[in-house]
Amino acid sequence: GEDVEQSLFLSVREGDSSVINCTYTDSSSTYLYWYKQEPGAGLQLLTYIFSNMDMKQDQRLTVLLNKKDKHLSLRIADTQTGDSAIYFCAERTSGTYKYIFGTGTRLKVLA
Amino acid sequence: GAVVSQHPSWVICKSGTSVKIECRSLDFQATTMFWYRQFPKQSLMLMATSNEGSKATYEQGVEKDKFLINHASLTLSTLTVTSAHPEDSSFYICSATELAGGPDTQYFGPGTRLTVL
C-alpha cells in the first residue's frame, strides 16, 4: 500500500543544521516533495526531487535520496528561528495527481 | 507565481448548518482541484479530486452527500459541508493544478479552519 512516514519531532539550536527524514513506498517513477507549514497556514512548497535523482540543493536546503532504502532527507543549513514549522514530505507517482503526505515533522529551533 | 486563495479563512457555525468554502486559482486556470482535511497535529488527508465540469471523485470513506464539491469553472471550486457536526471541525485545504503546467505544478491554498459548535 501507499505509506509515507516521518519522525514526529526535531529540536535544534539556532545556527545548527537540521535533518528531517522520510521513508516512502516503492514506485519506479515518483516525485518526492518537501512542504513547510507554519501555524494556521497552508502548505508552502520548499523543493521537490524526482526519484531518478540522488541529490538536490537549493540555497540552505539539501535533499538527499536513497532509492535503495526509499529514504528521503531534508537538510536545512544554518537553521533559524523562522524555520520552526511542520515539515511534510509527500510522494506522487508520475502520471497521477494524487499526493500521499507523511505525518509531518515538527521542527523547533531554540535560540 | 501561481496563487490559490480560500474563503473564508476561518468559520464558526452551529451544529446542523451548512458551510461553503471557496477555492480560487487567482492567476491561472486549474483543470483539477483537490480538497484535503487536516486534523490537529495530523497529516493532510485527500478527500476528493474535482475536475472542471464533471463530478468529483471521492476518496474511500468520504461521504459525498455530506461534502458536496462543485467545480463550475477553471478558477473556482467549492466545498460545502452539509449539516455540519462538531466532528467535522477541521482545517480544510484545497490545491489546484495548472492547466498547462503538468501534474507537478500543484499549488496549495492557505486553508480554512472550520469550527462547529
Side-chain angles (χ1 to χ4, degrees), chain B residues 71-88:
Chain B
H71 192 161
S73 76
L74 284 172
T75 60
L76 174 65
S77 176
T78 60
L79 168 68
T80 301
V81 183
T82 62
S83 187
H85 287 92
E87 58 265 30
D88 298 323

Side-chain angles (χ1 to χ4, degrees), chain B residues 37 66-67 81-90 92 114 116:
Chain B
R37 68 186 299 180
K66 180 163 185 66
F67 298 100
V81 183
T82 62
S83 187
H85 287 92
E87 58 265 30
D88 298 323
S89 298
S90 188
Y92 291 87
L114 170 63
V116 185

Side-chain angles (χ1 to χ4, degrees), chain B residues 13-14 37 43 47 61 96 103:
Chain B
C13 69
K14 292 183 178 180
R37 68 186 299 180
S43 187
M47 299 174 65

